[in-house]
Amino acid sequence: MHPVISVFAASPDEGRGLARDMPVRWALEEVGQPYQVMPVTFAEMKEEAHLARQPFGQIPTFEDGELVLFESGAIVLHIAEGGRGLLPDDAIDRARAVAWMFAAVGSIEPVVVQRESAIYLEGDKQWHKERLAIIEDRIANRLGELASALGDANWLLGEFSAADILMVQTLRRLEDSDLIERHANLSAYVERGKTRPAFQRAFAAQKAFFDRNHG
C-alpha cells in the first residue's frame, strides 16, 4: 500500500501548484515514494470522517498504515526523515534544516497568507488598499531578511533539503506580485526549485488531476 494524501476535489489554485498538497507531493517525488491521492470536497472537509484526520478541516492529510498526519510542514518533515536526500546526515546541519523548515511555515508563510486573505476576502472593504500596503511592507521586510540569509548560496543549507521545498513553495505564492523580483537571488532561488525534476513531476501530477476534474 502506498501513502495516501488528501487533496482538493476542486482546487482553488486552478492547477497552478499552490495548494498545500504540492509540497507533500514534491517531497514524495524527491524521495521516490509512490503515493495515492484522495479528493475531498469542501463539504466533506467539515464532515466527521475528515475532521478525524484533520481537526481544522483542511488539506492535506497523510495516511500510511496506522499513521495519520496533518499540516504540510509536519508531513514533509516525516517524509524527509524516512527517505534520503532531504535532510543532512550531520546532526547539527540536520537541526539547522529543521529550523529553516519552521522558518518557512512560521516566519514567512503567515504574512504571505495574510496578503492572500486581504486580496481575496477583503477587497471590497474601504480600508483594503491601506491594509494591503501594510501587509506587503511586512512581506518586503521578511524577504529582505531572507535574501540576506540566502546570499549567494543555491540553497538554504548549501545542499538542497526539505527546507527548500517549504520555502520555495511559500515564495511561489507571491508570484502574482513583484515582491520576489526585487531580490535577484530569491528569484533565482525559486526558479532553481522549479527546475528540479521532482518539482516538475509533482506540479504535472497536481495539474493533471485538476484538468481531469475540470475539463
Side-chain angles (χ1 to χ4, degrees):
M1 291 286 290
H2 298 317
V4 178
I5 59 174
S6 62
V7 303
F8 285 122
S11 179
D13 80 342
E14 298 183 340
R16 292 181 295 151
L18 298 177
R20 284 185 173 82
D21 59 294
M22 179 64 189
V24 176
R25 290 177 184 265
W26 185 0
L28 288 166
E29 292 287 355
E30 289 282 356
V31 301
Q33 172 62 61
Y35 61 95
Q36 297 174 297
V37 298
M38 175 177 60
V40 184
T41 66
F42 287 104
E44 289 169 337
M45 287 181 195
K46 305 306 177 185
E47 293 177 357
E48 186 176 340
H50 187 70
L51 291 172
R53 294 184 292 264
Q54 218 294 359
F56 305 108
Q58 300 171 326
I59 62 100
T61 58
F62 175 94
E63 297 179 72
D64 189 7
E66 295 182 0
L67 175 66
V68 180
L69 292 176
F70 63 97
E71 293 295 336
S72 55
I75 297 169
V76 170
L77 177 58
H78 171 73
I79 294 166
E81 289 178 330
R84 292 285 300 174
L86 288 182
L87 287 175
D89 292 329
D90 179 79
I92 292 176
D93 287 341
R94 194 181 187 92
R96 291 177 59 231
V98 173
W100 273 112
M101 294 177 74
F102 275 75
V105 299
S107 294
I108 306 294
E109 185 178 283
V111 70
V112 172
V113 173
Q114 284 181 24
R115 177 179 178 271
E116 293 172 347
S117 295
I119 291 172
Y120 297 115
L121 302 179
E122 302 169 355
D124 60 341
K125 307 298 183 185
Q126 230 175 0
W127 36 262
H128 167 70
K129 289 184 178 180
E130 290 81 1
R131 173 165 162 75
L132 183 59
I134 292 169
I135 293 170
E136 290 192 339
D137 279 344
R138 291 174 184 161
I139 294 173
N141 288 335
R142 280 285 187 236
L143 294 185
E145 293 160 348
L146 178 61
S148 294
L150 180 63
D152 295 330
N154 284 338
W155 308 110
L156 292 169
L157 293 161
E159 298 293 329
F160 181 82
S161 74
D164 298 299
I165 291 177
L166 294 176
M167 190 65 78
V168 168
Q169 268 303 112
T170 297
L171 297 180
R172 288 189 62 238
R173 302 178 78 94
L174 294 170
E175 289 183 321
D176 64 340
S177 73
D178 68 346
L179 289 163
I180 299 294
E181 295 171 5
R182 297 176 192 176
H183 304 279
N185 65 337
L186 294 186
S187 293
Y189 172 64
V190 171
E191 291 306 311
R192 266 193 301 278
K194 289 162 62 176
T195 62
R196 289 185 70 83
F199 172 91
Q200 294 177 359
R201 290 193 298 270
F203 183 92
Q206 194 190 60
K207 187 173 190 311
F209 180 84
F210 177 85
D211 291 343
R212 279 197 305 273
N213 289 277
H214 299 82

